[in-house]
Amino acid sequence: MGVGARDEARLEAAVEKLRAAGLDAFGVPLDVTADQSVTAAAELIDQQAGRLDVLVNNAGVSGPTGPDWGQDPTTLDLDVVRTVVDTNVFGVIRVTNAMLPLLRRSASPRIVNVSSSVGSLSLQADPNVEIGPVMAAYAPTKSYLNAVTVQYARQFAGTNLLINAACPGLVATDFTGFFGPRTPEQGAAVAIRLATLPDDGPTGSFFNDDGVVPW
């Protein structure tokens, strides 16, 4: 199991925790915004494992927010938008394409893109749904990621490479300032389910714990 992260100290801590639990884990230094880092990560996985069975694209940033996590579209700094898109969308494309040769060596390759319900245009546009604050930089990147997920699924239609988007819910991690009702284990459940789908499972869809999330 390869664990990718930008921060070396946190990467080592995560790998040691997994090894202590009996898993054969190794660290993969990875900055999804840098071509050289992504290429080096693919080479390391090739050397360590020779193939990749599951790719979980989990890297994400929100960009600066107000005290209520809000991002006003009328005052949004375009450089902030570029930074968020670079990680949340371009990073996924960059990593996915670099890992595809390794995924093709797997008997049942799976890709899980970690998205969010705030990327659902249907939910965002429904005045009867409480979807949280306006997040004009972050939320559209998740809509973009969902659209990219569908395009990959179409590209690999008829194969056993399945790619889906997953919403983990509001999870108490450092990303949310440890605010949220869900534990990391609860948040990971949907990604694990999609990572272990049978070959005739769904592809090009968007799921949370309750089932399909509307686009």
Side-chain angles (χ1 to χ4, degrees):
M1 174 187 294
V3 182
R6 288 182 300 178
D7 186 286
E8 184 176 348
R10 296 176 69 184
L11 176 58
E12 291 179 358
V15 170
E16 288 305 315
K17 185 176 181 180
L18 290 169
R19 287 176 176 169
L23 297 175
D24 183 14
F26 61 93
V28 182
L30 177 60
D31 179 352
V32 303
T33 67
D35 290 341
Q36 288 184 332
S37 177
V38 172
T39 299
E43 291 173 350
L44 179 57
I45 295 171
D46 189 9
Q47 294 166 6
Q48 293 284 337
R51 73 172 193 276
L52 186 60
D53 295 315
V54 177
L55 171 63
V56 178
N57 287 306
N58 187 46
V61 297
S62 65
T65 63
D68 62 350
W69 293 3
Q71 293 170 323
D72 184 344
T74 67
T75 58
L76 200 58
D77 185 333
L78 290 182
D79 285 337
V80 168
V81 177
R82 292 186 184 97
T83 297
V84 180
V85 171
D86 196 20
T87 295
N88 297 3
V89 182
F90 297 164
V92 171
I93 296 171
R94 185 179 287 113
V95 172
T96 298
N97 288 348
M99 300 299 170
L100 277 173
L102 296 169
L103 285 160
R104 288 189 172 103
R105 298 177 194 168
S106 173
S108 298
R110 304 288 180 264
I111 300 175
V112 181
N113 292 332
V114 178
S115 186
S116 170
S117 60
V118 302
S120 167
L121 298 179
S122 297
L123 296 180
Q124 287 276 354
D126 189 339
N128 298 311
V129 174
E130 174 52 52
I131 199 68
V134 173
M135 298 188 74
Y138 176 72
T141 67
K142 292 304 183 179
S143 303
Y144 193 169
L145 175 61
N146 291 346
V148 167
T149 300
V150 172
Q151 297 306 308
Y152 274 101
R154 292 183 64 204
Q155 183 64 34
F156 289 101
T159 77
N160 67 347
L161 195 162
L162 307 181
I163 176 168
N164 292 285
C167 172
L170 187 56
V171 180
T173 65
D174 56 351
F175 181 83
T176 62
F178 296 96
F179 174 85
R182 294 171 64 79
T183 66
E185 291 79 10
Q186 289 172 320
V190 63
I192 293 171
R193 179 163 58 87
L194 296 176
T196 55
L197 287 171
D199 283 344
D200 61 351
T203 190
S205 293
F206 185 18
F207 295 94
N208 62 15
D209 284 348
D210 296 325
V212 175
V213 180
W215 296 119

